[in-house]
């Protein structure tokens, strides 16, 4: 579903995947979805939201299908449908109006695609492609670019080639709040006292 532009979820997902693999090797049995949920919640709660990962966690195990939302502070919800990210309100509106129990896979994919499109067209941070993930007891199927409702209308065939030095870099030492008014290439050194007593070198 529409995701937050924050990318902190990638290392978090990798860490949980590694932990689950070690857990499977140690116990000689398949992981439960609630095990991944517990590890995620413990990790995120420990950092009190500073990791910044907001996730939708789904999967199938011996107890059937599961869907959870995990918030950056470590709290979670278990719901029949879930959205997270900057376009989640528009996506949730589609789910709340059209979701029904015992949908076929085709109906479910169409509903999820419509909810993602709602997030795309009502939020500037939700990307431009509809990607789906179908999770069943038999495996996982990723449908990348299932829909591309915002195709680029113009792509330059030669690409863009800017020679080095096209954009001039201005280097400045920002040690004080007033350094923005300093001439270029000057450094402020504060040995003692207040910023007003600084010597300009």
């Amino acid at each position: 579903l529409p995701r937050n532009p924050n990318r902190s979820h990638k290392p978090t997902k990798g860490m949980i995947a590694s932990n689950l693999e070690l857990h499977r090797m140690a116990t000689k049995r398949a992981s439960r979805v609630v095990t991944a949920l517990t590890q995620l919640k413990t990790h995120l709660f420990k950092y009190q939201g500073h990791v910044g990962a907001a996730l939708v966690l789904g999967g199938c195990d011996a107890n059937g299908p599961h869907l959870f939302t995990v918030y950056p502070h470590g709290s979670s919800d278990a719901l029949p449908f879930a959205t997270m990210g900057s376009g989640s309100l528009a996506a949730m509106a589609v789910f709340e109006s059209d979701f029904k129990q015992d949908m076929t896979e085709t109906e479910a994919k169409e509903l999820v695609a419509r909810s993602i499109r709602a997030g795309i067209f009502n939020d500037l941070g939700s990307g431009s492609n509809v990607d789906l993930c179908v999770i069943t007891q038999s495996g996982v199927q990723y449908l990348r670019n299932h829909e591309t409702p915002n195709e680029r209308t113009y792509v330059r065939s030669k690409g863009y080639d800017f020679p080095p030095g096209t954009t001039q870099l201005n280097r400045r030492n920002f040690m004080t709040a007033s350094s923005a008014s300093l001439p270029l290439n000057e450094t402020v050194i504060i040995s003692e006292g207040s910023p007003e007593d600084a010597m300009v070198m």
Side-chain angles (χ1 to χ4, degrees):
L1 294 181
R3 290 184 308 231
N4 194 306
N6 189 324
R7 297 295 178 215
S8 297
H9 62 276
K10 289 187 176 182
T12 304
K13 289 192 305 185
M15 180 194 67
I16 298 301
S18 176
N19 288 347
L20 290 176
E21 180 66 24
L22 292 171
H23 184 266
R24 285 190 291 272
M25 293 169 64
T27 60
K28 303 291 191 291
R29 62 182 65 182
S31 302
R32 303 289 177 95
V33 180
V34 72
T35 306
L37 175 67
T38 304
Q39 290 189 10
L40 274 172
K41 292 176 64 166
T42 302
H43 178 70
L44 295 176
F45 180 76
K46 181 168 61 175
Y47 288 94
Q48 291 293 296
H50 292 289
V51 172
L55 303 164
V56 174
L57 172 67
C60 288
D61 59 21
N63 296 321
H66 303 273
L67 186 65
F68 301 101
T69 52
V70 186
Y71 297 91
H73 288 84
S75 59
S76 64
D77 290 328
L79 299 166
F81 50 85
T83 64
M84 289 292 272
S86 57
S88 62
L89 294 179
M92 183 60 79
V94 174
F95 275 132
E96 288 179 341
S97 62
D98 294 339
F99 176 82
K100 59 182 185 288
Q101 294 289 343
D102 301 321
M103 300 174 74
T104 66
E105 182 178 316
T106 303
E107 290 174 333
K109 287 196 290 190
E110 174 55 30
L111 176 61
V112 172
R114 280 194 292 115
S115 71
I116 295 174
R117 283 199 307 271
I120 289 172
F121 291 121
N122 291 284
D123 176 73
L124 294 178
S126 289
S128 58
N129 297 337
V130 176
D131 298 335
L132 302 182
C133 176
V134 181
I135 305 173
T136 62
Q137 290 284 7
S138 58
V140 180
Q141 180 186 14
Y142 293 99
L143 303 173
R144 298 283 296 169
N145 296 325
H146 178 70
E147 293 179 9
T148 52
N150 279 340
E151 293 267 11
R152 292 183 66 177
T153 55
Y154 173 76
V155 179
R156 189 173 183 217
S157 59
K158 295 180 181 179
Y160 296 93
D161 184 23
F162 298 105
T166 301
T167 302
Q168 184 177 358
L169 296 178
N170 294 328
R171 301 182 186 279
R172 188 179 296 167
N173 186 343
F174 290 95
M175 292 183 66
T176 68
S178 60
S179 62
S181 61
L182 290 173
L184 294 178
N185 299 323
E186 291 192 352
T187 304
V188 172
I189 299 175
I190 301 175
S191 57
E192 288 183 10
S194 63
E196 291 77 28
D197 302 326
M199 299 186 317
V200 177
M201 302 297 289

